[in-house]
Amino acid sequence: MKQLYLLPLSLLLIFSACENADNGVPLDESALLALLDADEAAGMDGFDSGGDMDLDHDVGLEIGGVGRVLSDTLSFGEGYRIRYGRRLMDRDRTVEFDAGEDTAIGLVTHTIIGEFITKAIDTSNHEQIDSLSFTKEFSSIFTRKVRFVKVDDSSNPDGYHWKIDALTPMIGGSGDKVFITNLSFHALTDGLEVGEQLYSFTADELGDLFIDRESLPTFTAFSGVAAYADITNAGPEYTMESTGVGEWVFLNYGRNRFQRGRRHLHDTGMFFDETMNDNTHSGAMRIHGPGPEQVRGVFRTFTEAIDLATMFVSDGGYNTSVWSIPYRVERP
């Protein structure tokens, strides 16, 4: 883990103010970093799939006896389907603290380097099509803010301890071609009709939208949810279908690469998607459980937009936009 120390005058003044406000005791950054390391809502675990996976899948999650979901849905009529994933090779995290008397804000930056993997499988013989399969290296940067607050604690010699009070969604990606601009989640009725909006997030607010750590977005286990993501694509767009769609969107969720799932959100004008190629991608999922013998659990989403040149062209660059929002699952 790499610590970032900056020494401009403005930061020295911040440290000085922190010491004066804290009776001469400097901020214990190691204690705050330990809290960050232990928090299930933070971090990059779950973004790495460990290799190529079917577009829609569930692995290691409690899915209520439905069975593991694997997808052969992507077939263009040419007789193949696509698998993709990532293998992370290096990661680095830096945290810059801006501390006051009772509150500290940590600006967390994750830098990751990895391998993006695309495989095309012939549906007639289940063999890999080498001409459509490749790997490419990538690097991405993600940022979020975390708010720490002091809590009175008579059992602590200092008279207090720190806790994570809130955190913003984590945003990042690679390139300057595709961007997520809005993400919303809606309840699904038993008849698979879209019901009330549960949560909504917009790009303009994410950087300073602190989500209370005790009030994370919460979903009921095994209930139905529809997700909608609005995308902008600066082009030029590489298209594969008659729909003219130039990017794909995926909702990844779970805890790590051993407990994760993924759903492909579509912009084809079918099912939950009302209008083809209107840059709103949608799809549905059945919320997994919190885990065997657990009443509730905390997990992370990684919603990502990927332009199709990234997905289908070995030298087509690497352009993605990713939002990561923590969530809680509770049993009914």
Side-chain angles (χ1 to χ4, degrees):
M1 182 171 61
K2 177 181 174 184
Q3 289 286 344
L4 183 63
Y5 295 97
L6 303 177
L7 296 178
L9 178 60
S10 59
L11 193 56
L12 292 174
L13 291 174
I14 290 174
F15 287 157
S16 175
C18 180
E19 289 190 5
N20 293 337
D22 217 10
N23 297 320
V25 179
L27 178 68
D28 185 359
E29 294 186 3
S30 63
L32 303 189
L33 290 173
L35 289 173
L36 193 60
D37 291 338
D39 197 309
E40 295 176 302
M44 292 295 302
D45 286 346
F47 186 64
D48 176 16
S49 60
D52 59 283
M53 305 286 289
D54 286 311
L55 299 188
D56 294 271
H57 65 263
D58 282 301
V59 176
L61 295 170
E62 182 191 7
I63 53 177
V66 175
R68 183 180 178 187
V69 176
L70 297 175
S71 171
D72 287 341
T73 56
L74 185 62
S75 178
F76 294 105
E78 292 88 351
Y80 64 89
R81 61 185 174 87
I82 295 295
R83 292 167 56 94
Y84 90 94
R86 295 180 183 82
R87 186 177 294 111
L88 300 192
M89 298 183 292
D90 189 24
R91 65 173 72 187
D92 181 54
R93 185 189 70 183
T94 61
V95 185
E96 300 176 60
F97 290 103
D98 183 357
E101 181 176 1
D102 298 313
T103 304
I105 303 295
L107 175 61
V108 183
T109 301
H110 295 271
T111 302
I112 63 172
I113 297 173
E115 183 180 53
F116 184 79
I117 306 161
T118 294
K119 288 185 179 179
I121 306 299
D122 189 319
T123 56
S124 65
N125 57 21
H126 304 290
E127 294 182 358
Q128 178 176 310
I129 304 173
D130 291 338
S131 61
L132 294 175
S133 304
F134 59 86
T135 64
K136 64 175 76 174
E137 290 191 4
F138 73 91
S139 63
S140 298
I141 296 175
F142 303 87
T143 61
R144 75 157 19 115
K145 296 176 184 176
V146 179
R147 186 170 66 210
F148 303 83
V149 297
K150 284 183 180 178
V151 178
D152 292 337
D153 185 354
S154 59
S155 65
N156 190 305
D158 296 326
Y160 67 88
H161 68 263
W162 289 95
K163 77 169 188 176
I164 293 179
D165 171 67
L167 69 170
T168 66
M170 183 161 56
I171 55 177
S174 302
D176 56 1
K177 189 173 181 181
V178 291
F179 300 94
I180 303 172
T181 60
N182 183 272
L183 178 65
S184 63
F185 298 91
H186 301 251
L188 281 182
T189 68
D190 292 339
L192 297 183
E193 295 182 352
V194 178
E196 66 174 323
Q197 178 176 284
L198 302 174
Y199 303 100
S200 180
F201 306 89
T202 61
D204 293 341
E205 67 180 359
L206 284 197
D208 293 302
L209 177 65
F210 281 94
I211 302 173
D212 191 300
R213 182 59 182 80
E214 301 304 318
S215 301
L216 299 177
T218 300
F219 301 95
T220 301
F222 316 125
S223 64
V225 171
Y228 293 82
D230 293 338
I231 308 299
T232 61
N233 190 327
E237 296 189 27
Y238 182 89
T239 62
M240 291 291 297
E241 305 171 276
S242 60
T243 61
V245 174
E247 69 286 326
W248 282 347
V249 179
F250 298 92
L251 174 62
N252 302 270
Y253 49 89
R255 281 202 177 109
N256 50 54
R257 65 188 180 95
F258 304 107
Q259 293 179 295
R260 72 185 311 276
R262 182 165 67 201
R263 291 294 176 269
H264 187 186
L265 308 185
H266 298 272
D267 189 14
T268 57
M270 300 174 63
F271 303 109
F272 298 99
D273 190 66
E274 295 181 353
T275 306
M276 182 175 65
N277 197 18
D278 64 348
N279 295 321
T280 296
H281 297 246
S282 62
M285 63 177 289
R286 187 172 185 262
I287 300 296
H288 58 84
E293 301 181 1
Q294 301 296 312
V295 176
R296 62 185 59 85
V298 174
F299 303 84
R300 291 174 292 274
T301 64
F302 292 92
T303 303
E304 58 177 327
I306 308 175
D307 86 298
L308 293 192
T310 298
M311 183 73 71
F312 286 100
V313 183
S314 60
D315 60 353
Y318 184 81
N319 290 277
T320 65
S321 177
V322 182
W323 290 6
S324 178
I325 299 171
Y327 65 101
R328 180 179 288 111
V329 174
E330 296 182 345
R331 292 198 184 277

